[in-house]
Amino acid sequence: MKSPLPVPAISSRKLKTYLSRFSHTKILVLGDLILDQYIWGTVNRVSPEAPVPVVHVNSESYRMGGAANVYQNIATLGGQVELCGVIGDDLYGKQILNEVRNLSKPRSGIFVDKSRPTIKKTRVIAHNQQIVRYDVEQRDQVSTSIERKIIRHIGSRLPDLSCIVISDYAKGLISEEMMYHIQKQATIYGVLIIVDPKVEHMHYYAGVTAITPNYLEAKQGAGFLSTQNIPIQQIGSVLQEDLQCQAVIVTRGEEGMSIFEQNGCSWAIPAVARQVYDVTGAGDTVVSTLALALSAKASITDAAVLANQAAGIVVGMVGTATVTRPQLQQVFTHDIS
Ligand SMILES: Nc1ncnc2c1ncn2[C@@H]1O[C@H](COP(=O)(O)OP(=O)(O)OP(=O)(O)O)[C@@H](O)[C@H]1O
Ligand SMILES: [Mg+2]
């Protein structure tokens, strides 16, 4: 069914201006840091020990995941970005630190918690097929002492920032207390807060600048059951009413996104992908581009149009990929508006 919401008008010239400002933005990404590990191999036999395949490992690769992937997306799009979160005192934590150092100046926003492992998701893949995924994580809330260090760190960085992105996977970092302090301080400095939310924490985010749930998260966050078929307008109105954010931006996969502004305006932006190869990580691209565009003084609808374009590019790339600013710029190069 076609969405009856209006599509916002855009000016390519304005969008290009925002893109040119991306390099001046200063964004802090706070959230659960994850390392994605991929083990590539081949299978020639079944194990004599149990009815499972034996994987002969050929290679291994790593990618930053969770909040660390949002960080990488913003860096690739040309923003000035720093990362804040927790790692364990282990090899995989060091791997995340190394990746961060390769992308930007080292900052002291990544704290080591000796009592927990670095979150790692391992996928074993043979002949282009995932055989198993295993996760190492400890989801208990981080200690009060680490929570305080993070709140203090963000407080010290705020005067320098245009935006904070909260990438919440509910793996022990983001708490109601932390959100309260961050919002209170961010308001003083006029720093934007954009949240990629987790349903069970939805009420933490009341009053932030924007949240970007996908359809299912929005539906459950608004109090409906995942099995209920609820019109997007109803979901958006309930969430907006509950949270009073400048914008609730619901990403809807191949249907693009719907926007519900605090001022009562609602919009629909159709998806733009020409070919779709891999939709993983598209949500991270959306929140990253929104943070950059809003920091560059774009309106909510202009920022969402850019984010939708960036997501359209990323789903056309193989593997959890990141979009570059020239790639995004290219989209508007041939337009004459
Ligand atoms: N199949 C698709 N065709 C076109 N565009 C898509 C498709 N899937 C995703 N997108 C684009 O990516 C955006 C975000 O996708 P989606 O709603 O799936 O987010 P998500 O569920 O949060 O993703 P993630 O798995 O990264 O968390 C959409 O709003 C749309 O612009
Ligand atoms: Mg998502």
Side-chain angles (χ1 to χ4, degrees):
M1 199 180 75
K2 268 213 161 345
S3 170
L5 295 176
V7 177
I10 59 151
S11 145
S12 292
R13 196 171 302 129
K14 261 170 53 183
L15 297 185
K16 277 189 260 181
T17 307
Y18 304 135
L19 281 166
S20 71
R21 293 181 192 154
F22 274 17
S23 58
H24 304 301
T25 62
K26 289 191 176 166
I27 300 166
L28 182 145
V29 179
L30 168 71
D32 301 293
L33 309 181
I34 298 172
L35 190 66
D36 286 314
Q37 180 184 36
Y38 298 87
I39 295 179
W40 309 90
T42 45
V43 173
N44 294 311
R45 63 194 177 104
V46 172
S47 168
E49 299 158 16
V52 293
V54 176
V55 178
H56 176 81
V57 176
N58 297 324
S59 64
E60 187 177 298
S61 58
Y62 293 90
R63 278 195 59 86
M64 300 225 276
N69 186 45
V70 175
Y71 167 84
Q72 187 149 38
N73 269 270
I74 295 173
T76 312
L77 279 163
Q80 296 176 45
V81 61
E82 54 197 87
L83 188 57
C84 182
V86 167
I87 53 173
D89 185 12
D90 50 32
L91 206 68
Y92 301 114
K94 290 197 180 74
Q95 192 126 6
I96 290 182
L97 277 181
N98 281 340
E99 298 275 350
V100 170
R101 287 203 185 103
N102 286 340
L103 282 172
S104 68
K105 283 179 261 165
R107 298 266 187 200
S108 51
I110 299 180
F111 297 90
V112 177
D113 182 344
K114 288 191 156 65
S115 73
R116 59 208 294 133
T118 300
I119 304 170
K120 179 169 67 89
K121 295 185 190 181
T122 304
R123 284 126 179 139
V124 180
I125 300 158
H127 312 280
N128 290 324
Q129 201 180 323
Q130 195 174 134
I131 308 281
V132 66
R133 184 182 117 186
Y134 57 93
D135 297 354
V136 177
E137 63 182 29
Q138 204 251 84
R139 302 171 72 112
D140 298 348
Q141 209 59 39
V142 295
S143 65
T144 325
S145 114
I146 289 198
E147 186 181 65
R148 284 210 197 103
K149 280 185 193 165
I150 288 180
I151 293 170
R152 223 176 300 133
H153 172 76
I154 292 179
S156 73
R157 298 295 307 130
L158 268 167
D160 239 14
L161 300 175
S162 51
C163 179
I164 297 178
V165 176
I166 314 274
S167 176
D168 189 2
Y169 285 77
K171 291 187 188 291
L173 185 74
I174 305 297
S175 64
E176 194 162 12
E177 177 89 358
M178 192 183 279
M179 280 305 300
Y180 168 79
H181 285 286
I182 292 171
Q183 267 186 272
K184 202 169 81 174
Q185 298 183 71
T187 309
I188 298 170
Y189 293 98
V191 174
L192 311 171
I193 302 180
I194 302 174
V195 182
D196 194 357
K198 200 74 186 169
V199 172
E200 54 263 47
H201 291 174
M202 206 59 94
H203 63 283
Y204 297 1
Y205 318 125
V208 301
T209 312
I211 61 166
T212 62
N214 63 23
Y215 175 73
L216 184 63
E217 290 160 347
K219 182 158 62 171
Q220 293 178 315
F224 300 107
L225 297 174
S226 60
T227 46
Q228 280 178 289
N229 193 8
I230 310 289
I232 185 68
Q233 283 91 332
Q234 196 179 340
I235 293 171
S237 312
V238 172
L239 265 187
Q240 182 53 266
E241 176 82 27
D242 285 354
L243 299 178
Q244 299 292 320
C245 300
Q246 221 173 305
V248 170
I249 299 173
V250 184
T251 65
R252 302 173 62 205
E254 61 189 9
E255 297 193 60
M257 37 177 90
S258 301
I259 304 168
F260 302 89
E261 293 193 73
Q262 198 171 23
N263 62 13
C265 294
S266 311
W267 309 92
I269 304 177
V272 290
R274 286 195 195 94
Q275 289 156 317
V276 177
Y277 287 112
D278 187 349
V279 297
T280 42
D284 289 343
T285 304
V286 167
V287 77
S288 303
T289 315
L290 271 175
L292 285 157
L294 291 175
S295 294
K297 307 277 183 241
S299 65
I300 293 283
T301 45
D302 283 348
V305 167
L306 273 177
N308 190 59
Q309 286 288 352
I313 296 171
V314 93
V315 299
M317 295 160 88
V318 181
T320 312
T322 44
V323 179
T324 64
R325 201 183 60 173
Q327 277 176 312
L328 189 50
Q329 213 143 11
Q330 185 94 39
V331 176
F332 304 103
T333 303
H334 305 296
D335 293 359
I336 13 154
S337 56

